[in-house]
Structures are given as structure tokens and as C-alpha cells.
Amino acid sequence: MSRVTNTPEWQKLKEYSNNLPHMRELFATDSARFNKMSLKACGLFLDYSKNRVNEAVLSALFGLAQQAQLPARIKAMFAGDIINTTEKRAVLHTALRAPKGAVVEVDGVNVVPEVHATLDKIESFVASITSGEWRGYTGKAITDIVSIGIGGSFLGPKIATQALRPYWTGKLNCHFVANVDATSLVEKLKLVDPETTLFLMSSKSFGTQETLTNTLSARDWFLQSGATQADVAKHFAAVTSNVAKATEFGIDEANIFPMWDWVGGRYSLWSAIGLPIALMVGMDNYRALLAGAREMDEHFTSAPLAENMPVIMGMLSVWYGNFFNAQSHVVLTYDHYLRGLPAYFQQLDMESNGKSVMLEGETVDFSTGPVIWGGEGTNGQHAYHQLLHQGTALIPADFIMPLQSHNPLGEHHAQLASNCFGQTQALMQGRTFEEALAELASSKLAEEEKTLIARHKVMDGNKPSNTLLMDKLTPATLGALIALYEHRTFVQGVIWDINSFDQWGVELGKTLGNDVLARLGADKAATELDSSSNALINLFRQGHI
Ligand SMILES: O=P(O)(O)OC[C@H]1O[C@H](O)[C@H](O)[C@@H](O)[C@@H]1O
């Protein structure tokens, strides 16, 4: 057995998991439950009272976090220790939102001045584009940004830009291209004019196939419009940690925004990768987003474990994954602007904690990262919520909702809120057979049929959920919310003693993809791989089935 499962806390939790009363009872016997199990931090409010926990469980979960040396591990991350051990890198997305005077050293060098110099460069770039001072090759101002990037170099800027729609300055449009499927690029190019479009190529490595291919095709399209090679500098900028490769590619050095190897892709929206956000919402709002995340960093590093929002959420996820075999976790945003968050948290968490080897190389003998999925409420209530209520899988849920809408209209927001709260209530309390039968009392059905239908209507309840509220969706609350999930992911990785910051599985896919590409274009049929891969490659070469 591995270390974490050997701790007395783990054994205690195992025992507790078999002996907990139904949540209905937990609420009925403790009128102060909500007060005890809710907290406010960084403009966010977390109600975690609708979880299968009591004080003993929580105290064992925090004990487990202590055993796993969570406080020391948090310190090590913020201090720039090489915690991404397989890639020998520090993990310092938090340095990207550190205030100007802070000192965060990597190899003895304080990185904060460089971070702020880049922020200042972003600021002047944003000012020059949005003021119209920056001109395209025919002398016109820029109206459209096409951001090309994938994975962490795409999803963060995309969902944050979408979430902050009410804060757009209205000076630009922004389009995102990620997939190498030409359709993605071609359809976006139909919407823009080469004379007024700026392409922003975002790639930490400057080596990602999809991004390079899309950028080359965008450049061809641009040149075909009558522009010359010299005009490229006015229409192409890049964000990368590989400045040499970007200049070699033909991007003007003045238009290259640096990032660093200590920023993981899925944690990079706080770096210059966030440039599309700054372009769309303006620099003050972009800085407010960083400040919101910074506030969550301060909370995470200073609050005691039992009052620490990311720790509470991370440990609850450990609780369900390791003691109730929950294999998935659903994120339900009751705000149309936040509809992209589930996909973002999916990337963040699944790429981070989809691991089965511990730091010292031992294979885990317990579950690690769950499947993260979700969507927008109330839409999901008319679809997959059925399984949340009556399916056989236990799926803990996070409900996220601002108390004030950016678009107050009649009773809409009250209805949205009533659905959100009503769902958490239904998940928690369920419906007993007696209640279902009572509901059928006045129906004309025969007694036998009433019994049968009542059986189908039974909902066990006791389904866990967190409710996260904020006054209003602002750049600062969005920053805090994203940082909350980043740290929640980190907490779980610490308990499982895995490296949440590498992604070897994704890397293998890339390598094999390149090998297959060579075979697709080869002058002979594929024969050397397994029979399925050979046949699929040969069908593609043939062009029909
Ligand atoms: O920014 P790039 O170097 O182009 O990488 C883009 C993406 O590539 C891979 O898929 C990584 O697993 C992601 O974490 C990364 O964000």
C-alpha cells in the first residue's frame, strides 16, 4: 500500500464513509449546518453544507492534508521550487499575478520585473491597437483579432474573453482558431478582412503542429490578398517562450511577447497568452482579472486549511473520488457568460491530475483525477441532470451563479436562481417512496399502479453539491474563480502525490500523430503498424471507403 492510504486519517475516512447519516438527517439535526459549512473569500461565497460530511469527516480530511504536508507543498510552489520534477521546472503561474514589488526567484533571478515589463509591453500594444494608431498594410486601423493557438494557448483566453463580454470595449472583434481542421480557420477567415486583421499566434513551444499549420495557412491567405512579405510585421504577432523560433518563422521581434518555461500551458492565461483578453476588455479590466487571482493566491497561502476555499473544495473531491468511488465531477454554471468554464476546468483538471504514477515512480493504488464535465444551467436540467438525480453513478456537482445579472430582465434572474437552488435541494433531499406515493394520492390510478409509479419516482437524494456565488461576474471575481479551481486541482495532486504539471500522455499522442502523417503522405501503403492502424491509413490514402 502506498503512503497516503496508510495514514490513520485515510483509515478513519474509510470508516466514516460507511457510517454517515443521510444529508437530510444531517440538516435536520443541526440548524447551524449552513453557517458552519459556508465561507466567503475574494468576492466568492461557498456553501458546502450539501456534502456528505460532518465535523469528524472534515477534520479527518484536513488531517489528511496535513499528513500530505499540503502547507509546505503550497509554499514550495509559490517559492519557485522545482515541483514539476519530471520536466525539472518551477510552477509559477502565481508569479504572473504577483504585485510589482514582489520577489519570486527562479535560479536566483527575481522573475517579477520581467513579468511586469511584459505586462507593460502588452499595455502599450493594446493601446496602440485599440486607439487605431497601429495601422495595417493599407493604412487602415485593426478591427479584428484572429487568435491562433490550442490547448492552454487557446481555451483560457477564449473562455475569459467570452465570460467578460459585458466589459468589451467595443473596439475590436476577436476570433479563435484552434483545431487543425481547415474548416475552423476557413470559416473564421470568411468573417475578416486581411487589411484590418491582426493574427496573434500563441504557442509556448512554437512547435505545436496545429498552431504552426494554421498560422502558415493564415499567412498564405494574407499574402494572397495582395500584401507583401514586408507587410507581415503589421499583421502578425506571437506569444511564445521560444522567441528564436518565432523570429525564424518571420515574426518581427518587436511583435513577440515572451512567456517562460515555468508557466504551464493550462495555467498560462495570466501570461501574455491572455493578450486577446486584454485587447477585448482593455488593460484595466485585464489587470483586475490578475488582481482577483492574486487575491485568491493570498487566501490560499494564508488561510488555515479548514477555512481555505481551494483546500475545502480539493479535499471534498478527494473524499468522493477515493471513498465513494465517484469517477466524475460536474461543473454547472448558472450564467450564460460562464458557459465555457466547464470545458476550461476540464482541461485544467484532467490534464493536471489524469496521472497514475506518484512522484517517486510508484503506481497509484487509488483513484486520481475524475472526469470533469458540465455545462450551462438551466439547459442541463432538461438533459443530463436526470442521471445526476436518479442514475447509478455518484457525481458531485458544483453550481456557480452570480447573484446579480448583467442583463436584469423581468423575472429571468429569479427563475434562474430558483432552478439553481432547487436543483441542489433536490439532489440533497431526494424523494422517498412515501413522499412519491403521497404525491399520487389524488390520481385516478389503481393502487398497484400507484405503487409502481411511486417506485420510479423515488430519488435517493444524498447527492453532494457545492454552491459558489458572487455578487456579480466581474474581471476580479472571474480571476478569483479560475485561481480557485487551479488551486483546488493542486490540492488534490498533493494528496495523491502526483505531478500535476506534466502531460506525457498528450506528448505521446503528438509523436504518434507525426509518424502517421508521414505514412499518410508516403508513396507506399502502410504495412508496418497494427492491422487497424494500417487499414485506416490506407483508407485515407484511397480517399473513400
Ligand atoms: O502553447 P503550445 O506550446 O503550442 O502548446 C499547446 C498545448 O499543447 C499540448 O497539448 C499541451 O499538453 C498543452 O498543455 C498545451 O497548452
Side-chain angles (χ1 to χ4, degrees):
M1 264 216 298
S2 44
R3 250 181 307 148
V4 69
T5 50
N6 271 334
T7 58
E9 284 75 12
W10 190 277
Q11 300 312 323
K12 258 196 238 169
L13 286 164
K14 221 169 167 177
E15 199 185 306
Y16 293 158
S17 65
N18 294 319
N19 297 307
L20 263 183
H22 192 287
M23 267 192 266
R24 272 191 188 214
E25 211 179 310
L26 292 173
F27 271 99
T29 52
D30 184 2
S31 59
R33 186 173 170 86
F34 167 79
N35 287 337
K36 288 182 197 158
M37 296 183 190
S38 57
L39 82 155
K40 204 164 121 177
C42 317
L44 302 177
F45 181 86
L46 170 67
D47 170 14
Y48 62 101
S49 61
K50 290 191 182 98
N51 276 289
R52 292 184 183 181
V53 293
N54 56 18
E55 276 153 45
V57 170
L58 288 172
S59 130
L61 284 171
F62 299 130
L64 189 67
Q66 283 289 3
Q67 281 288 324
Q69 316 216 312
L70 179 61
R73 299 279 289 270
I74 296 173
K75 269 202 190 103
M77 174 168 73
F78 278 76
D81 289 6
I82 307 295
I83 64 164
N84 176 354
T85 48
T86 58
E87 296 180 308
K88 308 259 174 300
R89 288 176 186 165
V91 173
L92 277 178
H93 45 283
T94 53
L96 299 168
R97 48 223 194 192
K100 221 171 195 161
V103 177
V104 183
E105 292 189 350
V106 175
D107 295 330
V109 179
N110 181 14
V111 298
V112 178
E114 234 183 310
V115 165
H116 280 268
T118 306
L119 271 173
D120 293 342
K121 183 170 171 168
I122 293 176
E123 182 149 21
S124 13
F125 184 73
V126 169
S128 139
I129 299 278
T130 53
S131 67
E133 181 197 326
W134 181 295
R135 298 276 156 175
Y137 75 101
T138 55
K140 292 184 185 163
I142 298 298
T143 57
D144 290 82
I145 306 294
V146 175
S147 176
I148 302 176
I150 198 161
S153 298
F154 154 68
L155 213 42
K158 166 149 183 169
I159 66 95
T161 304
Q162 187 178 66
L164 297 179
R165 177 74 182 83
Y167 297 87
W168 287 7
T169 58
K171 301 198 167 113
L172 295 167
N173 294 311
C174 190
H175 317 270
F176 289 91
V177 175
N179 197 343
V180 76
D181 182 343
T183 304
S184 165
L185 178 68
V186 168
E187 287 297 334
K188 290 287 151 59
L189 292 180
K190 285 181 190 166
L191 306 174
V192 298
D193 176 347
E195 295 178 34
T196 56
T197 297
L198 180 88
F199 291 93
L200 189 57
M201 196 255 202
S202 300
S203 177
K204 178 181 168 185
S205 60
F206 215 91
T208 305
Q209 186 203 53
E210 291 93 326
T211 305
L212 287 171
T213 303
N214 277 324
T215 307
L216 283 170
S217 298
R219 191 171 62 179
D220 287 348
W221 174 85
F222 173 71
L223 292 173
Q224 278 156 23
S225 77
T228 65
Q229 190 58 42
D231 297 326
V232 168
K234 296 190 183 95
H235 291 267
F236 284 78
V239 181
T240 185
S241 66
N242 198 338
V243 177
K245 235 173 150 188
T247 19
E248 197 183 300
F249 183 85
I251 302 210
D252 191 332
E253 198 163 348
N255 302 346
I256 300 174
F257 295 82
M259 59 187 290
W260 305 275
D261 76 352
W262 40 262
V263 184
R266 53 196 173 273
Y267 297 87
S268 67
L269 81 89
W270 323 100
S271 72
I273 291 289
L275 193 48
I277 313 168
L279 283 163
M280 292 306 286
V281 300
M283 207 56 198
D284 287 351
N285 284 320
Y286 185 61
R287 286 192 192 270
L289 176 82
L290 296 178
R294 170 70 189 173
E295 219 186 314
M296 185 54 77
D297 293 343
E298 277 160 12
H299 168 75
F300 186 47
T301 48
S302 64
L305 298 184
E307 295 158 35
N308 195 309
M309 213 181 261
V311 174
I312 294 169
M313 288 180 69
M315 294 313 296
L316 285 171
S317 187
V318 167
W319 175 231
Y320 296 118
N322 294 123
F323 300 92
F324 293 92
N325 196 29
Q327 297 292 311
S328 94
H329 182 97
V330 66
V331 178
L332 303 162
T333 52
Y334 279 67
D335 184 288
H336 187 60
Y337 292 127
L338 291 178
R339 62 193 179 281
L341 271 195
Y344 180 73
F345 293 155
Q346 180 179 69
Q347 167 187 272
L348 169 68
D349 205 85
M350 291 174 73
E351 201 176 21
S352 295
N353 287 343
K355 310 286 164 65
S356 25
V357 173
M358 295 165 75
L359 290 179
E360 299 301 324
E362 203 181 336
T363 303
V364 297
D365 56 0
F366 47 82
S367 287
T368 59
V371 173
I372 307 280
W373 61 285
E376 177 183 6
T378 62
N379 306 20
Q381 290 177 211
H382 303 275
Y384 46 77
H385 280 230
Q386 169 58 35
L387 189 143
L388 301 181
H389 290 292
Q390 286 191 303
T392 50
L394 178 72
I395 306 182
D398 291 348
F399 288 78
I400 304 177
M401 196 192 75
L403 292 172
Q404 299 158 29
S405 169
H406 275 284
N407 299 296
L409 180 66
E411 214 196 16
H412 285 253
H413 201 58
Q415 287 192 17
L416 184 71
S418 66
N419 277 288
C420 174
F421 304 157
Q423 285 294 306
T424 71
Q425 195 189 6
L427 286 167
M428 184 276 285
Q429 69 182 31
R431 179 165 47 207
T432 63
F433 175 72
E434 289 69 28
E435 285 165 347
L437 204 54
E439 281 172 23
L440 294 166
S442 59
S443 93
K444 293 197 171 58
L445 296 175
E447 283 313 306
E448 249 173 51
E449 195 141 4
K450 277 187 191 169
T451 308
L452 177 65
I453 300 296
R455 279 212 184 103
H456 284 272
K457 289 182 128 191
V458 167
M459 289 159 64
D460 293 338
N462 210 23
K463 305 278 161 70
S465 69
N466 292 313
T467 305
L468 263 170
L469 303 173
M470 65 200 87
D471 290 352
K472 198 165 188 168
L473 176 61
T474 64
T477 48
L478 179 68
L481 184 61
I482 296 175
L484 166 65
Y485 276 82
E486 285 178 349
H487 296 326
R488 170 194 180 276
T489 296
F490 173 75
V491 167
Q492 295 170 71
V494 168
I495 303 302
W496 296 322
D497 205 27
I498 55 176
N499 182 357
S500 299
F501 302 102
D502 59 11
Q503 56 283 316
W504 299 107
V506 171
E507 309 293 345
L508 174 65
K510 286 189 194 177
T511 315
L512 293 186
N514 283 332
D515 174 64
V516 170
L517 182 61
R519 293 176 196 274
L520 292 176
D523 50 14
K524 59 179 178 44
T527 53
E528 285 149 11
L529 307 178
D530 60 87
S531 61
S532 160
S533 304
N534 283 337
L536 294 173
I537 290 169
N538 294 332
L539 279 171
F540 182 86
R541 289 163 54 84
Q542 192 173 290
H544 59 87
I545 51 174

